[in-house]
Amino acid sequence: MIYLGTLVFLLVCMGLLDAKGKLFIFRHPLRGFLALALGTGFFVFWDVLAIRAGIFLHKESQFMTGIMVGEQFPLEEVFFLEFLCYCSMIAFTGLPVAARALRNRRLDAVGRRQGGSHVS
């Protein structure tokens, strides 16, 4: 149960970061949810193929709920894949925003040293 709780907490944190910066779902909700669902669906399909091939095997853990959504496929895996996709999209859409903010901060600092001000 601890693992699922941690994943839910991390998803909430990603959502708060997304809401603050309007980076992904909060910028374009329909497209964001669709991309997230397709990405997660792709990885679920990938996992199912790996399970059938005998590559992925689930091992019991005291930190997990024990709820299985398929053979060798724990509930936590779905939340992990959702988190993986959401985190990737936040990073992908957030990097240009962070780079722009850093550039503007540097330009502002240069402008203050030269006695002027920089307007973005």
Side-chain angles (χ1 to χ4, degrees):
M1 188 70 173
I2 292 172
Y3 184 44
L4 180 60
T6 301
L7 289 169
V8 169
F9 173 75
L10 292 172
L11 279 165
V12 169
C13 289
M14 286 288 105
L16 292 172
L17 185 62
D18 185 8
K20 181 171 175 47
K22 295 194 182 335
L23 300 170
F24 184 56
I25 290 176
F26 286 88
R27 173 177 260 162
H28 301 289
L30 184 59
R31 284 192 287 178
F33 278 117
L34 183 61
L36 196 55
L38 288 172
T40 303
F42 170 79
F43 284 115
V44 165
F45 180 68
W46 181 328
D47 277 6
V48 168
L49 291 178
I51 290 166
R52 285 189 179 166
I55 296 170
F56 289 168
L57 297 173
H58 171 68
K59 296 191 179 186
E60 294 297 320
S61 169
Q62 64 184 6
F63 302 110
M64 297 176 74
T65 62
I67 300 170
M68 304 298 278
V69 294
E71 185 180 337
Q72 299 293 321
F73 201 97
L75 175 65
E76 289 85 355
E77 182 69 6
V78 177
F79 281 84
F80 170 74
L81 295 173
E82 187 83 18
F83 170 71
L84 176 70
C85 290
Y86 198 23
C87 187
S88 298
M89 290 297 102
I90 294 295
F92 182 78
T93 57
L95 278 174
V97 173
R100 193 168 36 255
L102 184 59
R103 187 185 74 237
N104 287 342
R105 190 176 301 157
R106 286 181 181 164
L107 290 174
D108 287 344
V110 168
R112 282 193 302 271
R113 276 185 274 165
Q114 294 175 351
S117 66
H118 171 74
V119 178
S120 304

